[in-house]
């Protein structure tokens, strides 16, 4: 049941016939792992907390630095030197005291990552390196958990939903083979602040759609953004029948 306070707090989205009380209850009962509390993780976490997702787990082993403040909107100058995950969790508690929030300040990998993924309903990948993205994808496919992936660099971004529970859906590694090469990060290539906000907001929206069972999530699709021309483009994705991660999974 939703309390009177919750009915008031979420009244604007409860007016939407796509969501209604049934959808809000699904959000309240959901548990989401957000890996990365940077430029993407900040808007994702803020919007999901505001929307009433019942439990948010924020994982990030970095501390706030001065160059982060250009785009990581949950942090201020007084937070420099502090754990990103801890600061973000504190901010989420200020936004919505009615949800559960937890910070993980150690790097998630191996069994620790697999354990966390197996206990949530959805994972949001807000990281900035391929090694971690591949590890998150493997854990999600293994556990049968939906993955909302986002990336942003320079003035470009992309969003996709990888859900191995749906027959024929590709996984992240179907799109990006793990060839050992590492792409440039924001610290080398640069990034304009609003692009991570736009992509993060899209990730939050896709998360809400998947959890509440509304709309048409970006499953089997890749949404691309070019902010310099403000152009959005959608590509259809196919599962790689030889993918080392999902070719032998239940997705076939």
């Amino acid at each position: 049941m939703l309390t009177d306070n919750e009915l008031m707090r979420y009244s604007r989205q409860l007016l939407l016939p796509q969501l209604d009380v049934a959808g809000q209850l699904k959000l309240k009962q959901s548990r989401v792992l957000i890996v990365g509390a940077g430029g993407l993780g900040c808007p994702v976490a803020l919007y999901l907390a505001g929307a009433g997702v019942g439990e948010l787990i924020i994982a990030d082993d970095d501390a706030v630095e001065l160059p982060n403040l250009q785009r990581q909107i949950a942090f201020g100058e007084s937070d420099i030197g502090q754990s990103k995950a801890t600061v973000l969790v504190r901010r989420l508690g200020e936004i919505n005291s009615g949800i559960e929030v937890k910070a993980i300040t150690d790097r998630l990998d191996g069994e620790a990552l697999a354990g966390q993924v197996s206990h949530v309903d959805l994972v949001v990948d807000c990281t900035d390196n391929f090694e971690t993205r591949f590890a998150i994808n493997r854990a999600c496919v293994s556990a049968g958990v939906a993955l909302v992936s986002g990336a942003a660099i320079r003035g470009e971004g992309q969003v996709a939903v990888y859900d191995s529970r749906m027959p024929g859906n590709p996984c992240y590694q179907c799109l990006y083979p793990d060839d050992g090469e590492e792409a440039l990060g924001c610290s080398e290539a640069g990034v304009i602040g609003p692009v991570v906000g736009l992509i993060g907001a899209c990730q939050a929206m896709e998360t809400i759609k998947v959890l509440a069972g509304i709309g048409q999530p970006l499953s089997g699709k890749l949404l691309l953004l070019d902010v310099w021309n403000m152009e959005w483009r959608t590509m259809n994705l196919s599962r790689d029948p030889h993918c080392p991660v999902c070719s032998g999974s239940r997705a076939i």
Side-chain angles (χ1 to χ4, degrees):
M1 296 291 292
L2 296 177
T3 66
D4 290 343
N5 181 273
E6 288 169 333
L7 290 171
M8 178 63 70
R9 175 184 286 272
Y10 307 121
S11 59
R12 297 302 184 270
Q13 61 194 43
L14 288 172
L15 291 171
L16 303 173
Q18 296 92 335
L19 189 70
D20 207 349
V21 173
Q24 190 64 51
L25 283 171
K26 290 180 181 179
L27 296 182
K28 181 179 179 178
Q29 295 161 359
S30 297
R31 178 183 297 166
V32 172
L33 171 64
I34 302 172
V35 186
L40 297 174
C42 284
V44 167
L46 294 172
Y47 274 120
L48 294 184
V53 173
E55 183 174 350
L56 296 174
I57 303 167
I58 314 296
D60 197 307
D61 65 341
D62 286 339
V64 180
E65 299 177 349
L66 182 61
N68 299 150
L69 304 186
Q70 167 250 2
R71 64 197 179 280
Q72 299 180 16
I73 57 174
F75 308 133
E77 293 181 359
S78 62
D79 300 317
I80 292 175
Q82 299 184 54
S83 159
K84 287 184 180 180
T86 302
V87 173
L88 183 53
V89 161
R90 184 169 65 242
R91 181 75 181 108
L92 299 181
E94 295 170 349
I95 292 174
N96 192 345
S97 61
I99 64 172
E100 297 292 328
V101 289
K102 175 185 176 182
I104 298 176
T105 57
D106 297 323
R107 180 175 291 274
L108 274 184
D109 54 22
E111 293 183 2
L113 174 61
Q116 290 293 334
V117 170
S118 67
H119 289 94
V120 299
D121 300 296
L122 182 145
V123 176
V124 189
D125 182 356
C126 300
T127 61
D128 60 359
N129 68 86
F130 276 124
E131 181 181 359
T132 304
R133 291 171 185 161
F134 286 132
I136 293 171
N137 177 67
R138 288 193 297 270
C140 287
V141 171
S142 178
V145 172
L147 169 63
V148 177
S149 175
I153 195 168
R154 303 184 183 94
E156 301 115 36
Q158 62 181 45
V159 183
V161 176
Y162 303 102
D163 193 346
S164 62
R165 300 171 301 176
M166 301 179 65
N169 266 18
C171 75
Y172 181 83
Q173 200 157 327
C174 290
L175 180 61
Y176 296 104
D178 187 359
D179 54 13
E181 294 186 10
E182 190 63 51
L184 291 175
C186 294
S187 59
E188 296 89 12
V191 65
I192 190 72
V195 71
V196 295
L198 287 164
I199 296 300
C202 288
Q203 285 182 275
M205 189 66 242
E206 290 302 301
T207 298
I208 290 171
K209 287 159 61 179
V210 172
L211 294 176
I214 58 176
Q216 294 294 324
L218 288 169
S219 299
K221 296 180 180 180
L222 181 68
L223 180 64
L224 301 170
L225 168 64
D226 171 8
V227 297
W228 304 123
N229 297 297
M230 201 48 72
E231 293 179 348
W232 296 87
R233 192 158 53 99
T234 303
M235 298 173 56
N236 292 323
L237 303 178
S238 298
R239 185 178 60 82
D240 179 0
H242 304 294
C243 175
V245 174
C246 72
S247 61
S249 75
R250 77 197 90 190
I252 297 179

